[in-house]
Amino acid sequence: MSDFETVAATENQAARRGVSGEPGAPSQVGAPHKPRSLAGDAWRDLRRNPIFWISLALVVLVAAMAAVPALFTANDPRDCLLSRQHAGPSGGAVFGYDFQGCDTYSRAVYGARASLLVGALSALLTGAIALVVGMLAGYFGRWVDAVLSRVIDVVLGIPLLLAAIVLLKRVSTSSDNARLFAVIFVLAVLGWTTAARVVRSSVITAKEQDYVAAARMLGAGNGRIMWRHILPNALAPAIVVLTIALGSFIAAEATLSFLGIGLKAPTISWGIDIDAGRVHMRESAIPLIVPSAFLALTVLAFIMLGDAIRDAFDPKLR
């Protein structure tokens, strides 16, 4: 056997054994390595982040509380008797009763629905406005970008709570649903600017990529390029911003309701209960502490979840 044949036979035996040298091991020579995507890397980091799991668990718990409050309490939050005013825990009322004889814990559980509904719908409407404005400004540039950027700057300079107070003062309606949607609309109209600026930056970066140039050369129109190629790249950073904004909207709704400008009784809301607990805190502090704790944990959970997702998707923080 020649030297060439000996070398070839040795390489064949090594290929059959595998790179590790163990018989039967799969060969790794020339095995293609699948490139990892940004989403894959982000998910890998999120799985190792305990803050992500803690905040996600709290968010799921609050969402379940808002969707099916009967799973967490059997008491009716509107079953109030003055004879139980500031009474201690009894009959499933684990935190006792408030100044009207209502179950404090039950009202806190049912209060999650209005607060979370306002936050979620405000975030969705904010995201829709931000995507439209940000994509138009970032993709077309020039005078479109100049005009929309000035609009963003003007709205960004308006204090959200102050403007919301002024606008909601003009709303005179006795309908609970109308009041709810008025709060959602006002928060969304005033709170979309930060997300729009993030979308605009993402679009400016994405439209310079080679795949966008290739799609344009193949005859794709502006609508197709924006929808199929640029929108997926703008969604991830927008979702991060909106997750954090959702917590801020919940806090803003509670503040407006606390001031008597947002939601009003008989709607059950954390802000309304905090205001009522503040008035009667000398008799008992529990009706003030319980809804305040529910509100603080919910807002903190959404902010922590948004921070964890942002850190996972930011390559500079890896």
Side-chain angles (χ1 to χ4, degrees):
M1 181 181 294
S2 65
D3 293 341
F4 177 78
E5 293 174 340
T6 302
V7 172
T10 303
E11 290 178 349
N12 290 334
Q13 292 174 3
R16 286 194 298 269
R17 289 196 305 267
V19 174
S20 61
E22 298 178 0
S27 175
Q28 303 294 326
V29 178
H33 295 282
K34 184 179 180 180
R36 292 183 305 197
S37 63
L38 177 61
D41 288 340
W43 174 238
R44 183 193 61 185
D45 292 344
L46 286 174
R47 285 184 301 177
R48 300 175 181 176
N49 189 349
I51 294 179
F52 167 74
W53 291 111
I54 294 172
S55 58
L56 181 62
L58 287 174
V59 168
V60 171
L61 179 64
V62 174
M65 194 180 297
V68 194
L71 291 177
F72 299 86
T73 177
N75 293 347
D76 185 353
R78 293 185 172 87
D79 180 18
C80 306
L81 295 174
L82 287 177
S83 60
R84 299 183 305 208
Q85 185 180 40
H86 297 306
S90 65
V94 295
F95 294 113
Y97 298 88
D98 62 11
F99 75 103
Q100 291 182 321
C102 306
D103 181 0
T104 300
Y105 170 69
S106 178
R107 286 189 64 86
V109 170
Y110 277 82
R113 175 172 295 176
S115 298
L116 200 63
L117 186 62
V118 169
L121 292 182
S122 298
L124 288 175
L125 185 54
T126 294
I129 298 173
L131 282 175
V132 172
V133 175
M135 289 190 66
L136 290 176
Y139 184 80
F140 291 105
R142 298 182 180 180
W143 66 269
V144 177
D145 185 21
V147 172
L148 293 178
S149 294
R150 297 298 76 76
V151 173
I152 293 173
D153 292 339
V154 170
V155 179
L156 190 62
I158 301 174
L160 187 146
L161 282 178
L162 179 59
I165 291 172
V166 173
L167 293 175
L168 289 174
K169 277 282 189 180
R170 308 293 299 177
V171 177
S172 57
T173 176
S174 58
S175 172
D176 294 341
N177 290 334
R179 195 79 189 179
L180 179 72
F181 287 109
V183 173
I184 292 170
F185 179 77
V186 168
L187 292 178
V189 167
L190 297 172
W192 57 271
T193 50
T194 301
R197 296 178 73 176
V198 171
V199 172
R200 173 183 173 273
S201 300
S202 301
V203 171
I204 291 175
T205 302
K207 74 176 184 178
E208 302 298 333
Q209 301 301 315
D210 293 339
Y211 59 84
V212 174
R216 189 176 289 111
M217 292 177 62
L218 291 173
N222 290 330
R224 180 178 178 83
I225 292 175
M226 293 172 67
W227 178 258
R228 295 290 301 274
H229 301 287
I230 293 182
L231 179 61
N233 292 280
L235 276 179
I239 290 173
V240 173
V241 174
L242 293 175
T243 303
I244 300 175
L246 199 156
S248 301
F249 288 143
I250 293 175
E253 178 275 319
T255 303
L256 293 171
S257 300
F258 174 82
L259 296 174
I261 300 169
L263 305 182
K264 295 182 181 294
T267 302
I268 302 175
S269 166
W270 290 331
I272 296 174
D273 286 356
I274 291 172
D275 180 42
R278 173 190 62 84
V279 175
H280 300 274
M281 65 179 302
R282 290 189 176 181
E283 290 83 1
S284 176
I286 297 299
L288 172 64
I289 294 174
V290 172
S292 300
F294 274 66
L295 172 64
L297 285 175
T298 301
V299 173
L300 181 62
F302 278 105
I303 292 176
M304 289 183 358
L305 181 63
D307 285 341
I309 297 175
R310 180 198 60 195
D311 294 345
F313 274 94
D314 192 348
K316 294 182 291 185
L317 299 177
R318 297 185 184 281

